[in-house]
Amino acid sequence: MDLPEEVVVNIIARLPMQSIVRFRLVCREWKSLTESAFFRDLYHSTSNSTSCNWSILYGDYRSLRPSLKQVKLDLPSSHGNNNPSFPFCFTPTNNEIKKITVVASTDGLVLLRLYEEDKKMIRYYIGNPVLPQWIQLPPPPPPKVDYMPFTDSGLVTRMHNNVALLGYKVVRIFSQALLFTSRTWRFETYSSDTGQWSITQVCRPGAALSRIDTSNPVTLNGKLHWLDHLGCIFVHDFFSHDDQVRAISLPEKLQCGPDTCRKIIFTTSQGYCVLVDAQLIEEVNSYNVRIWRLNSDCWSWGKAWEINMASVGLGSSCVPMAINYFDIDVIYLWDSEEKCFLAFNRRTLAKSYGARKADTFSSSKPFSCLSQFVPSLHVVPT
């Protein structure tokens, strides 16, 4: 007996994402249902959508057959992380490719950069590892000089009601603009709407001196946010016609310049840009952690919470790494003694340890932070 379409949609929307991805292959009708805006709205309104997330490591992977694999936190689902077992793997067919880099991830999409050293050629792939679906982008225009003046910077998306993916842009930045006293920035962007690369120039406020990490900005609502370690955050909306870059001052307590005993993580959680200020307090041999949240309506900072990790029995070996994408009260740490990830819930004071990763990470601090990838059913616009 055939079930009504509405009943089928309600049943499928409550299943784990692994099952939904498999069901898309059953028939054309189910594939059409799971790709509809109604299904996405229903799926995101269920509890499933708040528990499916994991983190991936930004980095280079070099081998005869290079590939990328997910970094799983292996933490209990009660902390909002079910670690679904999707294979996050991309293997090129050309063995001459020597370098693969995860450039960015946002709204369920991942941007890969493949570089062929012998041909001095860059290729970009954008895709959804969950479906899986990968699209090769047209190559950027060749540089007019021997070196490559534009460097990778990020990926921004245009969404409808935070559910439907309408379009995306790949952003490259003119590197020399950051080295000299320039008041303008030049971007080379690929737009899914036009299918072409273009160059734009924007004006930047404030002093020209900066210490910006252009390779890993925070993406939110079509904007890229670059952290300047000299005291502010630069923001630009790539889906607007604004030719200005906005400068946002950091919270006052963070405007004291670089500090070897302080770690600052810039990320997102619950739809906000978030700063994690982890300062090592030698007297108690632990980190004092402050969480700041940026209100984009008035571009002001508010302190979400603060805690001294010594008060919950966590010493300096437990290094803050990330905030949970869905819950700002859950922080992830790397325990260099136990060689595992640790989740701490500030509301409940609960601690959950993951599986040991001694064979995976040889360093006590394998990376500076984790960049979280949230699985989705978004079909990549072509």
Side-chain angles (χ1 to χ4, degrees):
M1 178 177 176
D2 293 334
L3 294 175
E5 182 177 288
E6 183 177 353
V7 175
V8 175
V9 170
N10 276 275
I11 293 175
I12 297 178
R14 286 162 173 76
L15 295 175
M17 188 175 288
Q18 300 97 316
S19 300
I20 295 176
V21 173
R22 289 197 297 266
F23 288 166
R24 295 177 74 253
L25 306 177
V26 172
C27 60
R28 291 182 179 179
E29 288 76 11
W30 283 17
K31 183 177 184 294
S32 177
L33 284 178
T34 56
E35 292 179 355
S36 66
F38 174 75
F39 178 82
R40 286 194 294 266
D41 289 338
L42 181 62
Y43 177 79
H44 282 274
S45 68
T46 65
S47 59
N48 287 335
S49 64
T50 63
S51 60
C52 293
N53 72 298
W54 70 77
S55 297
I56 61 175
L57 168 64
Y58 280 19
D60 300 337
Y61 295 75
R62 297 176 176 88
S63 66
L64 293 178
R65 292 182 58 82
S67 64
L68 296 170
K69 296 181 180 179
Q70 68 190 55
V71 176
K72 295 167 59 176
L73 296 184
D74 298 321
L75 294 169
S77 59
S78 60
H79 285 271
N81 195 321
N82 277 348
N83 295 312
S85 57
F86 298 114
F88 177 50
C89 185
F90 178 87
T91 303
T93 57
N94 187 349
N95 287 336
E96 295 180 355
I97 296 174
K98 303 297 183 183
K99 185 175 181 180
I100 300 178
T101 305
V102 180
V103 177
S105 65
T106 181
D107 292 322
L109 301 186
V110 174
L111 175 64
L112 302 181
R113 176 185 188 268
L114 283 72
Y115 179 59
E116 296 181 78
E117 293 186 49
D118 55 341
K119 299 179 182 179
K120 304 297 181 183
M121 179 184 295
I122 295 176
R123 285 193 280 159
Y124 290 98
Y125 289 82
I126 190 167
N128 185 336
V130 176
L131 296 181
Q133 180 192 25
W134 295 97
I135 295 173
Q136 182 178 349
L137 304 185
K144 298 180 180 179
V145 291
D146 293 336
Y147 62 93
M148 297 178 183
F150 288 93
T151 59
D152 301 329
S153 192
L155 171 69
V156 289
T157 56
R158 182 161 53 94
M159 306 290 292
H160 175 66
N161 294 331
N162 294 321
V163 175
L165 178 65
L166 301 180
Y168 60 87
K169 289 188 178 182
V170 176
V171 179
R172 289 155 54 91
I173 192 168
F174 187 61
S175 54
Q176 286 194 356
L178 307 175
L179 301 178
F180 304 102
T181 57
S182 173
R183 293 291 298 272
T184 60
W185 282 1
R186 291 177 63 195
F187 296 106
E188 187 178 48
T189 59
Y190 172 83
S191 171
S192 63
D193 294 334
T194 63
Q196 297 178 343
W197 292 87
S198 62
I199 293 180
T200 57
Q201 184 168 293
V202 297
C203 298
R204 174 189 148 190
L209 294 177
S210 63
R211 292 189 61 211
I212 300 174
D213 180 12
T214 60
S215 63
N216 192 18
V218 167
T219 304
L220 187 65
N221 299 329
K223 304 179 184 68
L224 287 184
H225 305 69
W226 294 272
L227 175 62
D228 179 358
H229 293 280
L230 295 183
C232 69
I233 289 173
F234 292 102
V235 184
H236 184 62
D237 188 342
F238 285 87
F239 288 98
S240 72
H241 298 290
D242 191 2
D243 62 353
Q244 301 287 324
V245 174
R246 178 183 292 272
I248 311 297
S249 297
L250 295 180
E252 184 177 352
K253 293 182 181 296
L254 296 180
Q255 296 181 12
C256 56
D259 187 344
T260 56
C261 296
R262 167 174 277 161
K263 178 177 182 179
I264 298 177
I265 301 170
F266 189 31
T267 183
T268 59
S269 180
Q270 294 180 331
Y272 291 90
C273 286
V274 173
L275 276 172
V276 180
D277 175 22
Q279 187 170 13
L280 181 62
I281 309 300
E282 295 182 353
E283 291 78 5
V284 295
N285 192 34
S286 187
Y287 285 94
N288 188 74
V289 177
R290 296 187 184 96
I291 308 297
W292 302 88
R293 184 168 53 191
L294 179 63
N295 187 340
S296 59
D297 293 333
C298 57
W299 299 107
S300 62
W301 295 96
K303 189 167 70 172
W305 54 272
E306 178 178 358
I307 192 171
N308 191 316
M309 288 300 181
S311 65
V312 292
L314 297 178
S316 60
S317 62
C318 296
V319 184
M321 305 300 291
I323 290 291
N324 184 277
Y325 182 85
F326 299 105
D327 190 345
I328 198 172
D329 286 316
V330 176
I331 186 171
Y332 299 132
L333 307 98
W334 171 256
D335 191 327
S336 60
E337 293 182 350
E338 298 296 327
K339 304 294 183 184
C340 66
F341 288 110
L342 161 69
F344 172 72
N345 190 315
R346 198 268 314 186
R347 291 191 309 274
T348 64
L349 302 182
K351 291 177 284 187
S352 300
Y353 288 85
R356 287 178 60 88
K357 296 182 179 295
D359 295 336
T360 305
F361 306 120
S362 58
S363 171
S364 60
K365 296 182 180 180
F367 29 71
S368 60
C369 64
L370 293 173
S371 180
Q372 301 185 62
F373 168 71
V374 182
S376 74
L377 296 176
H378 294 150
V379 177
V380 184
T382 58

